Structures are given as structure tokens and as C-alpha cells.
Amino acid sequence: MTPTSYLELLRTFKGLLDKKRFELIKLKERYVIGIEKLELSEKQIALMKVELTDLQPQMIKTRGETEDLIVIIEREAGEVDAIKQVVEIDNEKANIATMEAQSIKNECEDQLEEAMPALNEAVNSLKTLKPQDISCICLYFF
């Protein structure tokens, strides 16, 4: 082996060594960052567990209140159904009364149509009456 080839071998070895060191440093940085993220996640999970534990009594209280509200709503729903039935019956009665009133109205309008010509004729006749005609009628009845 010649000194030049030996130097070339050392340069190649040094380049390869530098390349591998750089790769190892990059891998180490990735592992360190991954470990930091895992530690951060672990801390956040621990905080969430504490918060969840602290909120447990409040959740139990809220669950109880919700169950109470459900019972109240179910009871009121029954009352509302009963009132709804009464209102529906009243609505049916009102509809029947409306139909009866409409039929009476229609009947009255029909009778009014029949009577209007006679009324108009009577009004026209009154316009043609003279005081002498009225005095003549008064003498006849008295």
C-alpha cells in the first residue's frame, strides 16, 4: 500500500465516520424529541386524570340533576298530554259550533236576500206616500 492510497483510505474513512456521526446525531435528536413529547403527553394525561377525578363529584351531581329533570319532564309530558286531549275536544266542539254558526249565517243571508227586494219596494213605496194618504188611513182605523 502506498502512502497516497493510505491517505486516501484515511480520508474516505474520515468522511464515512463524519457521515455516520451526523446520522447518529440526527437519530439521537429524533429520539430525544420523541422522549420529550412522550414525557409531555404523560404529564398532560396525569393532569387530565386529576381534572377528571376532581370533576367526578360534579358529574355525579349533574347526572342526578339530569335524572330528576327527566322525571319532571316525563310527569309534565303526561300532564301536557291530558291537557292536549282536553284542548282537542274543545277544538272539536268549537269547530262544530263554528259550522253551526256558519250554517245559521248562511240561512240568515238567504232569508235576507229574499227580504231585501220587499224592503226596497216598501222603502220606494214610502217615498211616494203623501200626507193626505196617511190621514186617509188614520181616519179609516179610528
Side-chain angles (χ1 to χ4, degrees):
M1 183 172 229
T2 63
T4 307
S5 64
Y6 183 70
L7 287 174
E8 189 61 34
L9 177 66
L10 286 176
R11 274 190 219 121
T12 305
F13 181 74
K14 184 179 180 219
L16 185 59
L17 182 64
D18 288 341
K19 183 179 174 185
K20 288 296 179 181
R21 277 186 187 160
F22 182 74
E23 288 177 6
L24 286 174
I25 290 171
K26 283 291 190 188
L27 285 174
K28 181 182 173 190
E29 287 175 1
R30 285 182 60 198
Y31 286 128
V32 168
I33 291 171
I35 288 172
E36 289 173 355
K37 289 189 180 199
L38 285 174
E39 289 172 351
L40 179 65
S41 297
E42 186 178 341
K43 288 178 185 177
Q44 288 176 343
I45 289 172
L47 284 173
M48 286 182 200
K49 283 182 181 179
V50 170
E51 289 176 2
L52 186 60
T53 304
D54 291 344
L55 290 175
Q56 195 81 18
Q58 185 178 359
M59 288 173 28
I60 292 171
K61 178 183 172 190
T62 305
R63 184 182 306 147
E65 290 172 355
T66 303
E67 290 172 357
D68 293 343
L69 285 174
I70 289 172
V71 169
I72 291 170
I73 289 170
E74 287 174 350
R75 183 182 69 232
E76 289 178 356
E79 294 172 4
V80 167
D81 286 341
I83 293 171
K84 181 180 176 185
Q85 290 175 352
V86 170
V87 168
E88 286 176 353
I89 291 170
D90 288 346
N91 190 22
E92 289 176 16
K93 289 179 182 178
N95 287 339
I96 292 170
T98 302
M99 290 189 311
E100 289 174 358
Q102 185 65 37
S103 71
I104 292 171
K105 177 187 170 199
N106 292 340
E107 184 179 320
C108 289
E109 286 176 350
D110 291 342
Q111 291 175 358
L112 181 64
E113 281 183 32
E114 290 177 15
M116 281 306 287
L119 175 66
N120 290 334
E121 187 178 318
V123 168
N124 289 333
S125 295
L126 281 175
K127 288 180 184 177
T128 61
L129 276 179
K130 298 177 188 164
Q132 297 166 350
D133 296 334
I134 295 174
S135 61
C136 182
I137 292 174
C138 289
L139 291 175
Y140 180 72
F141 285 111
F142 295 113

